[in-house]
Amino acid sequence: ETKNWERFEQKMILQLHRYEAKGYHYSESAFTPAIQVKLDQNLEKLEIQFQRELNLYPLHYTLDGSVPSPASPLYKSGEIVFSEGSRIRAQTFREGQTFGFPLDIEDLPNKATGGKMIYNCEWNSGYAANGDKALTDAQLATKRGDHPNWQGFRKVDLDIILDLQGIDTVSTCWIQFFQHVGMTSVLLPLSVEFYSSLDGIDYELIEEKIIPPDSRQEAMIRKVEILFASKTIRYIQIKARNPNALPKGHPRAGGDAWLFVDEIGAE
């Protein structure tokens, strides 16, 4: 009952300088901006609020795709309206220098936003995210394996179907995966297949993407995207092959491999 978060935050300013004076390394992820999203009824606009675990330093953002700087608009509080075709970028700054990971969103909202999902596989109960709305709710995960918006599949291939709930014209599809070899058992898929259908029964392969292994230790988000001649479709099926076992050279070689998935999109 005596805990005070604001006082703790202020004490952290000096503590971080102590770490640096000692030469200690610490994570800056607590300063990485995330967004809280609210969809309008027509799914055409997003109302977003920026959030960070620690609000010690200023957060600057842009809406035109330019890289934020200390001269960019300063976020204080409240909602920002974000429309299709915009690109929003945000970055924490400390003493004029970037601090934490940047936020960069350019594909929301889109035709998949708020759409209906059909799962032909089961997510792991420990990484359910927002259930069957997790991949179309415009709630983006960050480069953290414990972020609540990642939906996890342990030793299971991904097989999902997006129902656009009406026939539409589409020429782009994408899906985002997470990997952090150094800290987790989450790997990129071996391949991703995109299919289309008008009736939800007969599916046609649009394209298969082979994903080369990436053994870098750092956290990464990989957006797998295909561009194709415009097709009139209603259903988009996405299949991603799980490596199943962690490969030689991995810190936990031989263990179960996971797929972490966040948002999907269609345009």
Side-chain angles (χ1 to χ4, degrees), residues 113-183:
T113 305
K116 178 183 177 182
M117 294 299 306
I118 302 167
Y119 283 75
N120 296 321
C121 57
E122 292 186 9
W123 59 76
N124 185 278
S125 60
Y127 295 91
N130 196 15
D132 60 4
K133 297 180 177 61
L135 306 184
T136 59
D137 62 2
Q139 302 282 356
L140 295 177
T142 62
K143 289 183 181 179
R144 290 184 53 153
D146 61 351
H147 194 281
N149 287 337
W150 287 118
Q151 192 168 64
F153 300 83
R154 182 177 185 174
K155 208 174 179 179
V156 172
D157 291 341
L158 182 73
D159 186 351
I160 54 176
I161 297 173
L162 168 67
D163 182 357
L164 296 173
Q165 298 179 290
I167 294 175
D168 209 334
T169 302
V170 178
S171 60
T172 302
C173 292
W174 55 268
I175 183 170
Q176 294 195 135
F177 296 91
F178 177 73
Q179 176 175 286
H180 194 176
V181 170
M183 295 293 291

Side-chain angles (χ1 to χ4, degrees), residues 28-256:
E28 298 177 9
S29 59
F31 302 94
T32 299
I35 58 171
Q36 181 68 37
V37 176
K38 183 167 63 177
L39 292 171
D40 74 351
Q41 291 183 347
N42 296 322
L43 305 178
E44 295 176 349
K45 296 180 180 179
L46 302 179
E47 294 180 353
I48 68 169
Q49 292 184 347
F50 292 114
Q51 296 178 333
R52 294 173 294 172
E53 291 182 7
L54 291 173
N55 296 299
L56 303 181
Y57 304 111
L59 178 66
H60 294 271
Y61 70 94
T62 61
L63 298 176
D64 59 4
S66 59
V67 178
S69 73
S72 302
L74 173 67
Y75 180 74
K76 296 180 180 178
S77 63
E79 296 178 336
I80 298 173
V81 177
F82 185 45
S83 302
E84 186 173 349
S86 301
R87 181 177 182 180
I88 189 166
R89 305 177 76 172
Q91 175 74 62
T92 298
F93 288 86
R94 185 179 77 161
E95 298 174 0
Q97 303 297 315
T98 59
F99 207 54
F101 295 115
L103 176 74
D104 187 354
I105 303 172
E106 61 176 331
D107 296 312
L108 297 176
N110 59 71
K111 294 181 187 294
T113 305
K116 178 183 177 182
M117 294 299 306
I118 302 167
Y119 283 75
N120 296 321
C121 57
E122 292 186 9
W123 59 76
N124 185 278
S125 60
Y127 295 91
N130 196 15
D132 60 4
K133 297 180 177 61
L135 306 184
T136 59
D137 62 2
Q139 302 282 356
L140 295 177
T142 62
K143 289 183 181 179
R144 290 184 53 153
D146 61 351
H147 194 281
N149 287 337
W150 287 118
Q151 192 168 64
F153 300 83
R154 182 177 185 174
K155 208 174 179 179
V156 172
D157 291 341
L158 182 73
D159 186 351
I160 54 176
I161 297 173
L162 168 67
D163 182 357
L164 296 173
Q165 298 179 290
I167 294 175
D168 209 334
T169 302
V170 178
S171 60
T172 302
C173 292
W174 55 268
I175 183 170
Q176 294 195 135
F177 296 91
F178 177 73
Q179 176 175 286
H180 194 176
V181 170
M183 295 293 291
T184 75
S185 299
V186 182
L187 294 181
L188 298 174
L190 299 176
S191 63
V192 182
E193 300 171 0
F194 296 83
Y195 298 82
S196 67
S197 174
L198 278 170
D199 58 9
I201 300 173
D202 297 317
Y203 282 85
E204 176 186 2
L205 176 66
I206 305 174
E207 186 175 339
E208 178 182 10
K209 287 269 192 179
I210 304 300
I211 312 300
D214 192 328
S215 60
R216 288 177 294 171
Q217 298 287 302
E218 65 264 25
M220 65 181 71
I221 296 176
R222 177 69 58 83
K223 180 181 180 182
V224 181
E225 182 176 28
I226 60 168
L227 306 175
F228 49 94
S230 294
K231 296 174 67 68
T232 302
I233 59 180
R234 172 169 174 173
Y235 301 91
I236 300 171
Q237 184 174 26
I238 302 176
K239 297 181 179 181
R241 191 152 59 94
N242 190 322
N244 289 329
L246 301 174
K248 291 182 180 180
H250 192 283
R252 290 163 291 282
D256 292 346

